[in-house]
Amino acid sequence: MTDVPSSPLSLVVLVSGNGSNLQALLSACANGRIPARVSAVVSSEANAYALVRAREAQVATEVLCHRSFIGSRKDYDAQLAEKVERYQPGLVLLAGFMRVLTPTFVRQYRGRMLNIHPALLPAFRGLHTHARALASGVKVHGATVHFVTEELDGGPIVTQARVPVLSGDTEASLAARVLVQEHIIYPQAVSWFATGCLRLAEDDSAWFDDRLIPPQGVSVE
Ligand code: GAR
């Protein structure tokens, strides 16, 4: 483990929807499993339930509604960065943030932005992962935490959780099983970052202490 910073790491969480992953992160910060604080939650949707969760936890909220936004994707991300920067994040967390970020934004937070994706990457990048997993007939599905790079859902994997696909599964039942695991692995990965165990190297490889993280990620005990 490298040096643990003395002041708590500032986390800014980007959301678009329900915010159950945000809730898992807020809880883990509150009970000390993550040595960091959520400084702000920024939503691309004005009515995201995640904003209610943030307010209940007395966390600052910002909305940059992408539906009513007039301007280019670049303009949106410039305003997004402006809002995020107000909270001087040490780590930016995408937690169900349903927008593709521009390369400029991604570069600004290189090595300090994580995403949780509801599939075992590199399988099922993009949207509708559970429906696609069911349609493809895979027997194992899951979730992945990865560093965000310019390649959509393609950054180096930090950790993954696997779940069985059961006969009779629907998109909803499979999503629920995966989500339970998301709430475990995302706080775990954030705590690794906050304690200085996790880093992205210059060549876009991910490291856990002095070990290169293998393609399937670090397993959570
Ligand atoms: C989660 O399953 C997350 O992995 C997924 O959206 C859901 C958000 O749930 N993210 C993506 O699909 C990103 N492309 P939550 O709002 O309850 O955390």
mmCIF file of all heavy atoms in Angstrom, residues 56-108:
data_model
loop_
_atom_site.group_PDB
_atom_site.id
_atom_site.type_symbol
_atom_site.label_atom_id
_atom_site.label_comp_id
_atom_site.label_asym_id
_atom_site.label_seq_id
_atom_site.Cartn_x
_atom_site.Cartn_y
_atom_site.Cartn_z
ATOM 1 N N GLU A 56 -30.970 13.428 1.054
ATOM 2 C CA GLU A 56 -31.187 12.778 2.364
ATOM 3 C C GLU A 56 -29.871 12.573 3.109
ATOM 4 O O GLU A 56 -29.828 12.592 4.330
ATOM 5 C CB GLU A 56 -31.911 11.443 2.179
ATOM 6 C CG GLU A 56 -33.407 11.656 2.042
ATOM 7 C CD GLU A 56 -34.178 10.395 1.703
ATOM 8 O OE1 GLU A 56 -33.574 9.314 1.603
ATOM 9 O OE2 GLU A 56 -35.403 10.526 1.520
ATOM 10 N N ALA A 57 -28.804 12.395 2.348
ATOM 11 C CA ALA A 57 -27.482 12.208 2.964
ATOM 12 C C ALA A 57 -26.764 13.549 3.149
ATOM 13 O O ALA A 57 -25.580 13.586 3.496
ATOM 14 C CB ALA A 57 -26.638 11.268 2.108
ATOM 15 N N GLN A 58 -27.482 14.638 2.880
ATOM 16 C CA GLN A 58 -26.937 15.996 2.998
ATOM 17 C C GLN A 58 -25.706 16.212 2.133
ATOM 18 O O GLN A 58 -24.709 16.818 2.558
ATOM 19 C CB GLN A 58 -26.662 16.324 4.462
ATOM 20 C CG GLN A 58 -27.961 16.672 5.140
ATOM 21 C CD GLN A 58 -27.965 16.480 6.624
ATOM 22 O OE1 GLN A 58 -26.913 16.288 7.232
ATOM 23 N NE2 GLN A 58 -29.128 16.523 7.214
ATOM 24 N N VAL A 59 -25.803 15.691 0.941
ATOM 25 C CA VAL A 59 -24.731 15.860 -0.046
ATOM 26 C C VAL A 59 -25.209 16.876 -1.087
ATOM 27 O O VAL A 59 -26.379 16.846 -1.498
ATOM 28 C CB VAL A 59 -24.401 14.500 -0.708
ATOM 29 C CG1 VAL A 59 -23.504 14.676 -1.919
ATOM 30 C CG2 VAL A 59 -23.756 13.552 0.308
ATOM 31 N N ALA A 60 -24.310 17.754 -1.505
ATOM 32 C CA ALA A 60 -24.651 18.769 -2.504
ATOM 33 C C ALA A 60 -25.064 18.109 -3.821
ATOM 34 O O ALA A 60 -24.524 17.057 -4.182
ATOM 35 C CB ALA A 60 -23.443 19.668 -2.745
ATOM 36 N N THR A 61 -26.039 18.713 -4.489
ATOM 37 C CA THR A 61 -26.488 18.164 -5.775
ATOM 38 C C THR A 61 -26.376 19.217 -6.872
ATOM 39 O O THR A 61 -26.514 20.415 -6.618
ATOM 40 C CB THR A 61 -27.952 17.690 -5.696
ATOM 41 O OG1 THR A 61 -28.766 18.788 -5.314
ATOM 42 C CG2 THR A 61 -28.121 16.535 -4.721
ATOM 43 N N GLU A 62 -26.155 18.724 -8.065
ATOM 44 C CA GLU A 62 -26.120 19.580 -9.252
ATOM 45 C C GLU A 62 -26.872 18.821 -10.339
ATOM 46 O O GLU A 62 -26.784 17.596 -10.412
ATOM 47 C CB GLU A 62 -24.676 19.775 -9.750
ATOM 48 C CG GLU A 62 -23.718 20.359 -8.739
ATOM 49 C CD GLU A 62 -23.690 21.875 -8.743
ATOM 50 O OE1 GLU A 62 -24.375 22.485 -9.585
ATOM 51 O OE2 GLU A 62 -22.989 22.438 -7.889
ATOM 52 N N VAL A 63 -27.598 19.576 -11.161
ATOM 53 C CA VAL A 63 -28.299 18.951 -12.288
ATOM 54 C C VAL A 63 -27.842 19.637 -13.567
ATOM 55 O O VAL A 63 -27.783 20.863 -13.633
ATOM 56 C CB VAL A 63 -29.835 19.091 -12.132
ATOM 57 C CG1 VAL A 63 -30.545 18.542 -13.365
ATOM 58 C CG2 VAL A 63 -30.313 18.369 -10.870
ATOM 59 N N LEU A 64 -27.511 18.832 -14.552
ATOM 60 C CA LEU A 64 -27.239 19.364 -15.887
ATOM 61 C C LEU A 64 -28.083 18.505 -16.821
ATOM 62 O O LEU A 64 -27.655 17.443 -17.278
ATOM 63 C CB LEU A 64 -25.743 19.257 -16.217
ATOM 64 C CG LEU A 64 -25.292 19.952 -17.487
ATOM 65 C CD1 LEU A 64 -25.649 21.433 -17.481
ATOM 66 C CD2 LEU A 64 -23.787 19.763 -17.699
ATOM 67 N N CYS A 65 -29.315 19.000 -17.008
ATOM 68 C CA CYS A 65 -30.312 18.183 -17.710
ATOM 69 C C CYS A 65 -29.945 18.074 -19.185
ATOM 70 O O CYS A 65 -29.887 19.076 -19.899
ATOM 71 C CB CYS A 65 -31.692 18.817 -17.540
ATOM 72 S SG CYS A 65 -32.951 17.803 -18.287
ATOM 73 N N HIS A 66 -29.692 16.868 -19.611
ATOM 74 C CA HIS A 66 -29.238 16.712 -20.996
ATOM 75 C C HIS A 66 -30.386 16.847 -21.996
ATOM 76 O O HIS A 66 -30.174 17.180 -23.147
ATOM 77 C CB HIS A 66 -28.479 15.393 -21.179
ATOM 78 C CG HIS A 66 -29.320 14.177 -21.070
ATOM 79 N ND1 HIS A 66 -29.365 13.229 -22.051
ATOM 80 C CD2 HIS A 66 -30.165 13.757 -20.099
ATOM 81 C CE1 HIS A 66 -30.200 12.259 -21.672
ATOM 82 N NE2 HIS A 66 -30.669 12.559 -20.501
ATOM 83 N N ARG A 67 -31.629 16.644 -21.513
ATOM 84 C CA ARG A 67 -32.781 16.761 -22.426
ATOM 85 C C ARG A 67 -33.020 18.207 -22.833
ATOM 86 O O ARG A 67 -33.342 18.490 -23.977
ATOM 87 C CB ARG A 67 -34.047 16.243 -21.752
ATOM 88 C CG ARG A 67 -33.980 14.759 -21.486
ATOM 89 C CD ARG A 67 -35.176 14.300 -20.662
ATOM 90 N NE ARG A 67 -34.899 13.015 -20.077
ATOM 91 C CZ ARG A 67 -35.017 11.872 -20.728
ATOM 92 N NH1 ARG A 67 -35.403 11.867 -21.989
ATOM 93 N NH2 ARG A 67 -34.733 10.720 -20.136
ATOM 94 N N SER A 68 -32.858 19.128 -21.872
ATOM 95 C CA SER A 68 -33.153 20.533 -22.178
ATOM 96 C C SER A 68 -31.888 21.304 -22.563
ATOM 97 O O SER A 68 -31.942 22.507 -22.784
ATOM 98 C CB SER A 68 -33.811 21.192 -20.962
ATOM 99 O OG SER A 68 -32.977 21.034 -19.836
ATOM 100 N N PHE A 69 -30.752 20.598 -22.626
ATOM 101 C CA PHE A 69 -29.490 21.302 -22.890
ATOM 102 C C PHE A 69 -29.416 21.745 -24.351
ATOM 103 O O PHE A 69 -29.652 20.951 -25.267
ATOM 104 C CB PHE A 69 -28.303 20.380 -22.567
ATOM 105 C CG PHE A 69 -26.979 21.083 -22.626
ATOM 106 C CD1 PHE A 69 -26.533 21.852 -21.553
ATOM 107 C CD2 PHE A 69 -26.183 21.023 -23.770
ATOM 108 C CE1 PHE A 69 -25.320 22.527 -21.613
ATOM 109 C CE2 PHE A 69 -24.972 21.689 -23.837
ATOM 110 C CZ PHE A 69 -24.544 22.436 -22.752
ATOM 111 N N ILE A 70 -29.095 23.022 -24.533
ATOM 112 C CA ILE A 70 -28.919 23.520 -25.900
ATOM 113 C C ILE A 70 -27.425 23.708 -26.110
ATOM 114 O O ILE A 70 -26.787 24.481 -25.408
ATOM 115 C CB ILE A 70 -29.688 24.847 -26.121
ATOM 116 C CG1 ILE A 70 -31.178 24.593 -25.898
ATOM 117 C CG2 ILE A 70 -29.445 25.394 -27.517
ATOM 118 C CD1 ILE A 70 -32.008 25.858 -25.779
ATOM 119 N N GLY A 71 -26.898 23.001 -27.059
ATOM 120 C CA GLY A 71 -25.458 23.078 -27.304
ATOM 121 C C GLY A 71 -24.940 21.710 -27.696
ATOM 122 O O GLY A 71 -25.686 20.729 -27.721
ATOM 123 N N SER A 72 -23.664 21.667 -27.987
ATOM 124 C CA SER A 72 -23.054 20.422 -28.458
ATOM 125 C C SER A 72 -22.722 19.519 -27.277
ATOM 126 O O SER A 72 -22.756 19.935 -26.105
ATOM 127 C CB SER A 72 -21.778 20.742 -29.233
ATOM 128 O OG SER A 72 -20.838 21.287 -28.328
ATOM 129 N N ARG A 73 -22.359 18.314 -27.593
ATOM 130 C CA ARG A 73 -21.885 17.356 -26.587
ATOM 131 C C ARG A 73 -20.657 17.908 -25.866
ATOM 132 O O ARG A 73 -20.482 17.754 -24.665
ATOM 133 C CB ARG A 73 -21.550 16.049 -27.326
ATOM 134 C CG ARG A 73 -21.205 14.890 -26.473
ATOM 135 C CD ARG A 73 -21.213 13.623 -27.300
ATOM 136 N NE ARG A 73 -22.555 13.134 -27.497
ATOM 137 C CZ ARG A 73 -23.224 12.387 -26.615
ATOM 138 N NH1 ARG A 73 -22.653 12.034 -25.490
ATOM 139 N NH2 ARG A 73 -24.437 11.968 -26.858
ATOM 140 N N LYS A 74 -19.811 18.592 -26.657
ATOM 141 C CA LYS A 74 -18.602 19.203 -26.095
ATOM 142 C C LYS A 74 -18.978 20.295 -25.070
ATOM 143 O O LYS A 74 -18.389 20.385 -23.992
ATOM 144 C CB LYS A 74 -17.798 19.819 -27.248
ATOM 145 C CG LYS A 74 -16.315 19.850 -27.032
ATOM 146 C CD LYS A 74 -15.613 20.334 -28.291
ATOM 147 C CE LYS A 74 -14.379 21.094 -27.868
ATOM 148 N NZ LYS A 74 -13.858 21.971 -28.887
ATOM 149 N N ASP A 75 -19.983 21.098 -25.440
ATOM 150 C CA ASP A 75 -20.453 22.162 -24.532
ATOM 151 C C ASP A 75 -21.022 21.557 -23.246
ATOM 152 O O ASP A 75 -20.778 22.052 -22.142
ATOM 153 C CB ASP A 75 -21.563 23.014 -25.174
ATOM 154 C CG ASP A 75 -21.078 23.775 -26.383
ATOM 155 O OD1 ASP A 75 -19.859 24.006 -26.486
ATOM 156 O OD2 ASP A 75 -21.923 24.121 -27.240
ATOM 157 N N TYR A 76 -21.795 20.481 -23.424
ATOM 158 C CA TYR A 76 -22.392 19.822 -22.248
ATOM 159 C C TYR A 76 -21.278 19.355 -21.318
ATOM 160 O O TYR A 76 -21.308 19.612 -20.107
ATOM 161 C CB TYR A 76 -23.263 18.630 -22.689
ATOM 162 C CG TYR A 76 -23.918 17.916 -21.517
ATOM 163 C CD1 TYR A 76 -25.221 18.227 -21.125
ATOM 164 C CD2 TYR A 76 -23.229 16.937 -20.802
ATOM 165 C CE1 TYR A 76 -25.820 17.593 -20.043
ATOM 166 C CE2 TYR A 76 -23.822 16.301 -19.713
ATOM 167 C CZ TYR A 76 -25.103 16.633 -19.343
ATOM 168 O OH TYR A 76 -25.682 15.997 -18.254
ATOM 169 N N ASP A 77 -20.287 18.693 -21.887
ATOM 170 C CA ASP A 77 -19.227 18.146 -21.035
ATOM 171 C C ASP A 77 -18.370 19.247 -20.415
ATOM 172 O O ASP A 77 -17.835 19.081 -19.318
ATOM 173 C CB ASP A 77 -18.365 17.158 -21.829
ATOM 174 C CG ASP A 77 -19.024 15.784 -21.900
ATOM 175 O OD1 ASP A 77 -20.210 15.678 -21.532
ATOM 176 O OD2 ASP A 77 -18.357 14.822 -22.327
ATOM 177 N N ALA A 78 -18.245 20.388 -21.104
ATOM 178 C CA ALA A 78 -17.490 21.512 -20.525
ATOM 179 C C ALA A 78 -18.232 22.028 -19.290
ATOM 180 O O ALA A 78 -17.615 22.298 -18.239
ATOM 181 C CB ALA A 78 -17.319 22.624 -21.556
ATOM 182 N N GLN A 79 -19.551 22.129 -19.396
ATOM 183 C CA GLN A 79 -20.342 22.582 -18.230
ATOM 184 C C GLN A 79 -20.342 21.527 -17.125
ATOM 185 O O GLN A 79 -20.343 21.854 -15.939
ATOM 186 C CB GLN A 79 -21.766 22.915 -18.654
ATOM 187 C CG GLN A 79 -21.822 24.204 -19.455
ATOM 188 C CD GLN A 79 -23.238 24.738 -19.587
ATOM 189 O OE1 GLN A 79 -24.109 24.466 -18.769
ATOM 190 N NE2 GLN A 79 -23.466 25.510 -20.633
ATOM 191 N N LEU A 80 -20.346 20.271 -17.559
ATOM 192 C CA LEU A 80 -20.298 19.181 -16.575
ATOM 193 C C LEU A 80 -18.986 19.257 -15.785
ATOM 194 O O LEU A 80 -18.980 19.178 -14.553
ATOM 195 C CB LEU A 80 -20.409 17.838 -17.309
ATOM 196 C CG LEU A 80 -20.458 16.578 -16.457
ATOM 197 C CD1 LEU A 80 -21.728 16.565 -15.598
ATOM 198 C CD2 LEU A 80 -20.417 15.333 -17.351
ATOM 199 N N ALA A 81 -17.891 19.462 -16.497
ATOM 200 C CA ALA A 81 -16.579 19.545 -15.842
ATOM 201 C C ALA A 81 -16.533 20.729 -14.882
ATOM 202 O O ALA A 81 -15.954 20.646 -13.791
ATOM 203 C CB ALA A 81 -15.478 19.653 -16.891
ATOM 204 N N GLU A 82 -17.167 21.834 -15.301
ATOM 205 C CA GLU A 82 -17.203 23.022 -14.443
ATOM 206 C C GLU A 82 -17.921 22.697 -13.121
ATOM 207 O O GLU A 82 -17.439 23.054 -12.036
ATOM 208 C CB GLU A 82 -17.967 24.115 -15.196
ATOM 209 C CG GLU A 82 -17.697 25.501 -14.743
ATOM 210 C CD GLU A 82 -18.531 26.462 -15.573
ATOM 211 O OE1 GLU A 82 -18.300 26.536 -16.801
ATOM 212 O OE2 GLU A 82 -19.429 27.085 -14.997
ATOM 213 N N LYS A 83 -19.051 21.999 -13.224
ATOM 214 C CA LYS A 83 -19.793 21.632 -12.010
ATOM 215 C C LYS A 83 -18.987 20.657 -11.153
ATOM 216 O O LYS A 83 -18.897 20.807 -9.933
ATOM 217 C CB LYS A 83 -21.139 21.000 -12.379
ATOM 218 C CG LYS A 83 -22.146 21.982 -12.922
ATOM 219 C CD LYS A 83 -23.505 21.343 -13.098
ATOM 220 C CE LYS A 83 -24.496 22.295 -13.763
ATOM 221 N NZ LYS A 83 -24.823 23.470 -12.937
ATOM 222 N N VAL A 84 -18.390 19.672 -11.796
ATOM 223 C CA VAL A 84 -17.618 18.660 -11.064
ATOM 224 C C VAL A 84 -16.434 19.315 -10.353
ATOM 225 O O VAL A 84 -16.142 19.031 -9.189
ATOM 226 C CB VAL A 84 -17.148 17.545 -12.033
ATOM 227 C CG1 VAL A 84 -16.133 16.631 -11.375
ATOM 228 C CG2 VAL A 84 -18.348 16.737 -12.540
ATOM 229 N N GLU A 85 -15.776 20.240 -11.050
ATOM 230 C CA GLU A 85 -14.564 20.881 -10.503
ATOM 231 C C GLU A 85 -14.823 21.699 -9.245
ATOM 232 O O GLU A 85 -13.922 21.896 -8.434
ATOM 233 C CB GLU A 85 -13.911 21.763 -11.568
ATOM 234 C CG GLU A 85 -12.967 21.012 -12.480
ATOM 235 C CD GLU A 85 -11.944 20.177 -11.712
ATOM 236 O OE1 GLU A 85 -11.063 20.754 -11.061
ATOM 237 O OE2 GLU A 85 -12.026 18.946 -11.756
ATOM 238 N N ARG A 86 -16.068 22.166 -9.094
ATOM 239 C CA ARG A 86 -16.396 22.943 -7.885
ATOM 240 C C ARG A 86 -16.100 22.150 -6.624
ATOM 241 O O ARG A 86 -15.933 22.700 -5.550
ATOM 242 C CB ARG A 86 -17.893 23.299 -7.870
ATOM 243 C CG ARG A 86 -18.246 24.383 -8.836
ATOM 244 C CD ARG A 86 -19.743 24.654 -8.789
ATOM 245 N NE ARG A 86 -20.103 25.372 -10.006
ATOM 246 C CZ ARG A 86 -21.334 25.471 -10.480
ATOM 247 N NH1 ARG A 86 -22.328 24.914 -9.836
ATOM 248 N NH2 ARG A 86 -21.559 26.126 -11.587
ATOM 249 N N TYR A 87 -16.093 20.822 -6.755
ATOM 250 C CA TYR A 87 -15.946 19.961 -5.568
ATOM 251 C C TYR A 87 -14.577 19.302 -5.504
ATOM 252 O O TYR A 87 -14.356 18.407 -4.705
ATOM 253 C CB TYR A 87 -17.082 18.920 -5.558
ATOM 254 C CG TYR A 87 -18.422 19.613 -5.557
ATOM 255 C CD1 TYR A 87 -19.082 19.876 -6.748
ATOM 256 C CD2 TYR A 87 -18.978 20.077 -4.371
ATOM 257 C CE1 TYR A 87 -20.290 20.572 -6.764
ATOM 258 C CE2 TYR A 87 -20.180 20.777 -4.373
ATOM 259 C CZ TYR A 87 -20.823 21.021 -5.577
ATOM 260 O OH TYR A 87 -22.010 21.718 -5.577
ATOM 261 N N GLN A 88 -13.681 19.769 -6.357
ATOM 262 C CA GLN A 88 -12.285 19.321 -6.356
ATOM 263 C C GLN A 88 -12.148 17.815 -6.105
ATOM 264 O O GLN A 88 -11.560 17.397 -5.108
ATOM 265 C CB GLN A 88 -11.504 20.112 -5.318
ATOM 266 C CG GLN A 88 -11.602 21.599 -5.577
ATOM 267 C CD GLN A 88 -10.611 22.384 -4.793
ATOM 268 O OE1 GLN A 88 -10.413 22.145 -3.595
ATOM 269 N NE2 GLN A 88 -9.961 23.325 -5.440
ATOM 270 N N PRO A 89 -12.689 17.028 -7.022
ATOM 271 C CA PRO A 89 -12.697 15.584 -6.772
ATOM 272 C C PRO A 89 -11.317 14.948 -6.898
ATOM 273 O O PRO A 89 -10.528 15.304 -7.769
ATOM 274 C CB PRO A 89 -13.618 15.052 -7.878
ATOM 275 C CG PRO A 89 -13.494 16.050 -8.983
ATOM 276 C CD PRO A 89 -13.287 17.384 -8.315
ATOM 277 N N GLY A 90 -11.071 14.011 -5.979
ATOM 278 C CA GLY A 90 -9.909 13.147 -6.144
ATOM 279 C C GLY A 90 -10.285 11.955 -6.985
ATOM 280 O O GLY A 90 -9.430 11.286 -7.573
ATOM 281 N N LEU A 91 -11.593 11.690 -7.027
ATOM 282 C CA LEU A 91 -12.093 10.548 -7.800
ATOM 283 C C LEU A 91 -13.506 10.876 -8.282
ATOM 284 O O LEU A 91 -14.333 11.349 -7.495
ATOM 285 C CB LEU A 91 -12.109 9.289 -6.917
ATOM 286 C CG LEU A 91 -12.533 7.971 -7.561
ATOM 287 C CD1 LEU A 91 -11.572 7.561 -8.691
ATOM 288 C CD2 LEU A 91 -12.600 6.854 -6.520
ATOM 289 N N VAL A 92 -13.751 10.628 -9.559
ATOM 290 C CA VAL A 92 -15.088 10.804 -10.140
ATOM 291 C C VAL A 92 -15.655 9.413 -10.394
ATOM 292 O O VAL A 92 -14.971 8.542 -10.934
ATOM 293 C CB VAL A 92 -15.014 11.618 -11.459
ATOM 294 C CG1 VAL A 92 -16.371 11.674 -12.141
ATOM 295 C CG2 VAL A 92 -14.495 13.029 -11.182
ATOM 296 N N LEU A 93 -16.911 9.226 -9.980
ATOM 297 C CA LEU A 93 -17.519 7.897 -10.080
ATOM 298 C C LEU A 93 -18.759 7.964 -10.966
ATOM 299 O O LEU A 93 -19.689 8.735 -10.678
ATOM 300 C CB LEU A 93 -17.903 7.407 -8.686
ATOM 301 C CG LEU A 93 -16.700 7.221 -7.763
ATOM 302 C CD1 LEU A 93 -17.140 7.059 -6.313
ATOM 303 C CD2 LEU A 93 -15.879 6.019 -8.218
ATOM 304 N N LEU A 94 -18.763 7.177 -12.017
ATOM 305 C CA LEU A 94 -19.955 7.061 -12.850
ATOM 306 C C LEU A 94 -20.809 5.950 -12.249
ATOM 307 O O LEU A 94 -20.352 4.807 -12.145
ATOM 308 C CB LEU A 94 -19.571 6.723 -14.297
ATOM 309 C CG LEU A 94 -18.514 7.634 -14.942
ATOM 310 C CD1 LEU A 94 -18.301 7.235 -16.402
ATOM 311 C CD2 LEU A 94 -18.922 9.093 -14.846
ATOM 312 N N ALA A 95 -22.005 6.292 -11.818
ATOM 313 C CA ALA A 95 -22.871 5.319 -11.140
ATOM 314 C C ALA A 95 -24.241 5.349 -11.819
ATOM 315 O O ALA A 95 -25.156 6.028 -11.362
ATOM 316 C CB ALA A 95 -22.972 5.644 -9.653
ATOM 317 N N GLY A 96 -24.318 4.670 -12.948
ATOM 318 C CA GLY A 96 -25.549 4.707 -13.728
ATOM 319 C C GLY A 96 -25.696 6.028 -14.457
ATOM 320 O O GLY A 96 -26.797 6.526 -14.647
ATOM 321 N N PHE A 97 -24.567 6.600 -14.869
ATOM 322 C CA PHE A 97 -24.580 7.857 -15.638
ATOM 323 C C PHE A 97 -24.711 7.460 -17.106
ATOM 324 O O PHE A 97 -23.805 6.840 -17.665
ATOM 325 C CB PHE A 97 -23.290 8.641 -15.390
ATOM 326 C CG PHE A 97 -23.278 10.005 -16.035
ATOM 327 C CD1 PHE A 97 -24.138 10.999 -15.594
ATOM 328 C CD2 PHE A 97 -22.399 10.287 -17.064
ATOM 329 C CE1 PHE A 97 -24.126 12.266 -16.176
ATOM 330 C CE2 PHE A 97 -22.369 11.552 -17.650
ATOM 331 C CZ PHE A 97 -23.236 12.537 -17.198
ATOM 332 N N MET A 98 -25.872 7.791 -17.704
ATOM 333 C CA MET A 98 -26.210 7.209 -18.994
ATOM 334 C C MET A 98 -25.868 8.137 -20.158
ATOM 335 O O MET A 98 -26.662 8.318 -21.080
ATOM 336 C CB MET A 98 -27.698 6.820 -19.006
ATOM 337 C CG MET A 98 -28.067 5.864 -17.887
ATOM 338 S SD MET A 98 -27.015 4.378 -17.781
ATOM 339 C CE MET A 98 -27.737 3.394 -19.070
ATOM 340 N N ARG A 99 -24.673 8.682 -20.115
ATOM 341 C CA ARG A 99 -24.195 9.489 -21.241
ATOM 342 C C ARG A 99 -22.781 9.070 -21.593
ATOM 343 O O ARG A 99 -21.997 8.710 -20.711
ATOM 344 C CB ARG A 99 -24.159 10.983 -20.869
ATOM 345 C CG ARG A 99 -25.484 11.672 -20.898
ATOM 346 C CD ARG A 99 -25.288 13.157 -20.629
ATOM 347 N NE ARG A 99 -24.437 13.800 -21.626
ATOM 348 C CZ ARG A 99 -24.876 14.321 -22.767
ATOM 349 N NH1 ARG A 99 -26.150 14.303 -23.057
ATOM 350 N NH2 ARG A 99 -24.040 14.892 -23.614
ATOM 351 N N VAL A 100 -22.489 9.162 -22.897
ATOM 352 C CA VAL A 100 -21.122 8.901 -23.336
ATOM 353 C C VAL A 100 -20.343 10.202 -23.180
ATOM 354 O O VAL A 100 -20.791 11.264 -23.636
ATOM 355 C CB VAL A 100 -21.107 8.432 -24.807
ATOM 356 C CG1 VAL A 100 -19.678 8.263 -25.298
ATOM 357 C CG2 VAL A 100 -21.896 7.129 -24.954
ATOM 358 N N LEU A 101 -19.209 10.130 -22.515
ATOM 359 C CA LEU A 101 -18.413 11.341 -22.243
ATOM 360 C C LEU A 101 -17.435 11.621 -23.383
ATOM 361 O O LEU A 101 -16.925 10.687 -24.013
ATOM 362 C CB LEU A 101 -17.659 11.156 -20.924
ATOM 363 C CG LEU A 101 -18.566 11.070 -19.694
ATOM 364 C CD1 LEU A 101 -17.824 10.449 -18.517
ATOM 365 C CD2 LEU A 101 -19.107 12.446 -19.333
ATOM 366 N N THR A 102 -17.178 12.899 -23.592
ATOM 367 C CA THR A 102 -16.241 13.274 -24.652
ATOM 368 C C THR A 102 -14.797 12.956 -24.233
ATOM 369 O O THR A 102 -14.484 12.923 -23.032
ATOM 370 C CB THR A 102 -16.316 14.783 -24.954
ATOM 371 O OG1 THR A 102 -16.111 15.481 -23.718
ATOM 372 C CG2 THR A 102 -17.641 15.189 -25.560
ATOM 373 N N PRO A 103 -13.911 12.756 -25.218
ATOM 374 C CA PRO A 103 -12.507 12.490 -24.897
ATOM 375 C C PRO A 103 -11.890 13.570 -24.005
ATOM 376 O O PRO A 103 -11.081 13.272 -23.126
ATOM 377 C CB PRO A 103 -11.827 12.443 -26.265
ATOM 378 C CG PRO A 103 -12.917 12.026 -27.205
ATOM 379 C CD PRO A 103 -14.181 12.641 -26.662
ATOM 380 N N THR A 104 -12.269 14.818 -24.201
ATOM 381 C CA THR A 104 -11.699 15.909 -23.388
ATOM 382 C C THR A 104 -12.042 15.703 -21.911
ATOM 383 O O THR A 104 -11.178 15.829 -21.033
ATOM 384 C CB THR A 104 -12.253 17.280 -23.853
ATOM 385 O OG1 THR A 104 -12.007 17.388 -25.240
ATOM 386 C CG2 THR A 104 -11.617 18.433 -23.118
ATOM 387 N N PHE A 105 -13.298 15.382 -21.645
ATOM 388 C CA PHE A 105 -13.715 15.149 -20.257
ATOM 389 C C PHE A 105 -12.980 13.937 -19.690
ATOM 390 O O PHE A 105 -12.457 13.975 -18.574
ATOM 391 C CB PHE A 105 -15.239 14.949 -20.194
ATOM 392 C CG PHE A 105 -15.780 14.891 -18.788
ATOM 393 C CD1 PHE A 105 -16.262 16.032 -18.165
ATOM 394 C CD2 PHE A 105 -15.794 13.694 -18.087
ATOM 395 C CE1 PHE A 105 -16.748 15.984 -16.857
ATOM 396 C CE2 PHE A 105 -16.276 13.637 -16.784
ATOM 397 C CZ PHE A 105 -16.749 14.782 -16.166
ATOM 398 N N VAL A 106 -12.938 12.878 -20.471
ATOM 399 C CA VAL A 106 -12.295 11.642 -20.002
ATOM 400 C C VAL A 106 -10.815 11.903 -19.694
ATOM 401 O O VAL A 106 -10.298 11.457 -18.665
ATOM 402 C CB VAL A 106 -12.454 10.514 -21.049
ATOM 403 C CG1 VAL A 106 -11.608 9.306 -20.691
ATOM 404 C CG2 VAL A 106 -13.922 10.111 -21.161
ATOM 405 N N ARG A 107 -10.168 12.670 -20.559
ATOM 406 C CA ARG A 107 -8.731 12.961 -20.339
ATOM 407 C C ARG A 107 -8.519 13.782 -19.078
ATOM 408 O O ARG A 107 -7.537 13.595 -18.361
ATOM 409 C CB ARG A 107 -8.146 13.678 -21.558
ATOM 410 C CG ARG A 107 -7.722 12.713 -22.662
ATOM 411 C CD ARG A 107 -6.777 13.392 -23.639
ATOM 412 N NE ARG A 107 -7.441 14.456 -24.383
ATOM 413 C CZ ARG A 107 -8.091 14.280 -25.541
ATOM 414 N NH1 ARG A 107 -8.159 13.083 -26.086
ATOM 415 N NH2 ARG A 107 -8.665 15.281 -26.154
ATOM 416 N N GLN A 108 -9.443 14.698 -18.802
ATOM 417 C CA GLN A 108 -9.306 15.551 -17.615
ATOM 418 C C GLN A 108 -9.263 14.714 -16.331
ATOM 419 O O GLN A 108 -8.593 15.085 -15.376
ATOM 420 C CB GLN A 108 -10.482 16.543 -17.559
ATOM 421 C CG GLN A 108 -10.370 17.509 -16.403
ATOM 422 C CD GLN A 108 -11.330 18.681 -16.532
ATOM 423 O OE1 GLN A 108 -11.976 18.870 -17.568
ATOM 424 N NE2 GLN A 108 -11.430 19.474 -15.484
#
